[in-house]
Amino acid sequence: MTRIDLHCHSTASDGTLTPAQLVTAGAAAGLDVMAITDHDTTGGWAAAAAARPDGLTLVRGAELSCRWFGAEEYPIALHLLAYLFDPAEPRLAADLTALRSDREQRAEKIVDKLRADGVPITWAEVHGYAAGGSVGRPHIAQALIRAGLVGTTNEAFASRWLGAKYFVPKADLDVFEAVRAVREAGGVAVFAHPRATVRGRVVPDQLIADLADAGLFGLEADHEDHSPVERAHVRGLAEDLGLVVTGSSDFHGTHKTVRLGAFTTAFEAYEKIVSAATGVPVLG
Ligand code: AMP
Ligand code: FE
Ligand code: FE
Ligand code: ZN
């Protein structure tokens, strides 16, 4: 059986393994195929490719921060996995650069809010944890842990910390624009954890149908943030809409407890993704 994990993070965003360590760990975990999908960056691609062990196929991708602006009340944040796109395609590359730069400003604002309440962390410290990659709330969580205010990353996401009290939104991409940009760059777009109600509000099925019409290629069904009922629902929706179904760990190293290969994608779905992409080839 081919073991395929299409959603993994490295230190290029909020994972804790370097891209080289990530591909090594993937092979050690018995994966045949793994994707590197850092938040809003392709910054880990080169190092992952250079360190790729024989026998491991590497899918280069990213996880794009998006938002659906059509929701009632306020917009809903969502994540789009983009696979095998051309990183030099100007529009998508500019989008990624803008997202990363906003992440820096937003993280600094969160740090300022915390400091205003006397929390002893600094932007320099948080920026240092991000080590040149896409900065995210897990890096701020790391500072809160160091300061002894919370015990785990998960605790830092409680509403009294980064979940609500010290929450500042990001300048995400309009999800329809993002699907279009990924396709124009020769990539394939898969909606990450679309039913993860544990993370907050989720989009209605009609929006997923509209995204399918706009060129969305697949839905991530098997994910730790989906209950068994939510996984089954996503599978049914994918079948109705003619979308591929994926499963993946969303591995983040020690920022999360999930292990590489905890959820996997069927070979047939993987093959469809690879066949549909024209941006860059898989490696290996
Ligand atoms: P950000 O991208 O800065 O908004 O931070 C969100 C990131 O934090 C996501 O990519 C998740 O990987 C991670 N995250 C979200 N919720 C939690 C949680 N409860 N525990 C640990 N990590 C989380
Ligand atoms: Fe993350
Ligand atoms: Fe995500
Ligand atoms: Zn992810």
Side-chain angles (χ1 to χ4, degrees):
M1 200 186 77
T2 317
R3 285 173 53 74
I4 303 169
D5 188 342
L6 292 180
H7 184 169
C8 305
H9 295 263
S10 77
T11 51
S13 64
D14 57 3
T16 57
L17 298 187
T18 64
Q21 289 167 339
L22 181 68
V23 290
T24 305
L31 296 178
D32 301 293
V33 179
M34 86 185 300
I36 180 167
T37 53
D38 279 302
H39 296 287
D40 307 321
T41 187
T42 59
W45 284 18
R52 182 184 62 78
D54 285 342
L56 179 79
T57 298
L58 178 66
V59 173
R60 289 168 289 176
E63 183 172 23
L64 309 185
S65 303
C66 300
R67 206 163 280 267
W68 176 45
F69 292 93
E72 284 174 27
E73 296 177 58
Y74 52 90
I76 297 179
L78 50 104
H79 290 171
L80 208 62
L81 292 160
Y83 296 114
L84 301 169
F85 57 89
D86 175 3
E89 200 281 321
R91 175 161 162 206
L92 187 54
D95 282 344
L96 293 180
T97 304
L99 286 171
R100 288 195 304 276
S101 129
D102 178 76
R103 277 178 168 279
E104 302 249 333
Q105 292 165 33
R106 174 256 203 162
E108 197 169 356
K109 280 185 204 154
I110 296 175
V111 170
D112 286 346
K113 280 181 98 161
L114 287 159
R115 286 175 62 80
D117 282 354
V119 174
I121 66 172
T122 65
W123 169 234
E125 178 188 7
V126 171
H127 199 246
Y129 293 145
S134 273
V135 65
R137 282 179 288 167
H139 301 117
I140 304 173
Q142 212 172 325
L144 295 175
I145 293 169
R146 191 273 311 146
L149 293 160
V150 296
T152 63
T153 308
N154 198 40
E155 270 178 51
F157 275 84
S159 56
R160 60 186 288 250
W161 295 107
L162 306 176
K165 183 160 186 212
Y166 298 98
F167 177 75
V168 174
K170 303 200 293 313
D172 303 326
L173 302 177
D174 172 88
V175 65
F176 288 93
E177 301 276 326
V179 168
R180 212 167 297 135
V182 170
R183 282 168 59 94
E184 275 166 21
V188 169
V190 172
F191 193 159
H193 43 75
R195 275 266 151 179
T197 48
V198 292
R199 291 172 179 241
R201 284 197 314 161
V202 297
V203 302
D205 289 353
Q206 182 56 48
L207 190 263
I208 297 179
D210 293 345
L211 287 171
D213 288 342
L216 180 71
F217 198 78
L219 301 177
E220 189 179 58
D222 294 324
H223 186 284
E224 68 163 352
D225 289 351
H226 285 160
S227 69
V229 168
E230 288 166 341
R231 287 171 208 172
H233 179 82
V234 173
R235 280 181 184 282
L237 199 56
E239 195 167 325
D240 290 348
L241 298 172
L243 299 176
V244 304
V245 166
T246 67
S248 33
S249 65
D250 199 358
F251 179 74
H252 277 70
T254 58
H255 280 159
K256 285 192 182 179
T257 54
V258 74
R259 295 210 299 235
L260 281 166
F263 300 97
T264 53
T265 295
F267 186 69
E268 296 69 33
Y270 162 68
E271 269 191 319
K272 283 183 189 165
I273 290 170
V274 174
S275 312
T278 58
V280 293
V282 298
L283 300 177

